Amino acid sequence: ALQSTGDVGVPRIIKKACTEPKEFKLSQSRRASTVAEEPKPAQFKARSLDKRILMGPQFVTMPSNKPLTETESPQLRTRMRAGSRDLPKQEVFDHKFKARPVPKNIL
C-alpha cells in the first residue's frame, strides 16, 4: 500500500515530463502592419489675431509728477549709546609682588 524507496514512511516522488517548447503563432503580415502604423499628429489650429495688436501700443506711459525720493541715513545713535555706558575702570595695583620661599625638600 505504501510505496517507498527503501526507508519506511518516505514516499517516492514521481517526476513530471519535460515541457516541449512550441512555436509562437504570429504571422508576419500582422506584425508588419502594427509596426508601420505611426500615430497621426494632432491638428493645430491657431486663434485669430487681434488687428489692434499690429497697429501699435494700446496705451502710452506718462512720466510721473511725483518728485524723486531723497535718501537719508538712519539715525542709529550708536556713538551716543556707546558714550552713555559706564565702563568699569581698571584698578591700578600698587601691590608689590613677593615670591614665597622654595621648599627645602624639593632641592
Side-chain angles (χ1 to χ4, degrees), residues 52-63:
R52 293 181 292 173
I53 294 174
L54 299 175
M55 293 177 129
Q58 295 290 325
F59 60 91
V60 179
T61 56
M62 300 293 289

Side-chain angles (χ1 to χ4, degrees), residues 83-103:
S84 66
R85 193 170 24 163
D86 294 330
L87 295 175
K89 295 181 181 177
Q90 294 182 356
E91 297 178 13
V92 179
F93 291 104
D94 292 334
H95 188 285
K96 301 251 179 181
F97 179 75
K98 184 177 179 185
R100 294 183 182 172
V102 179

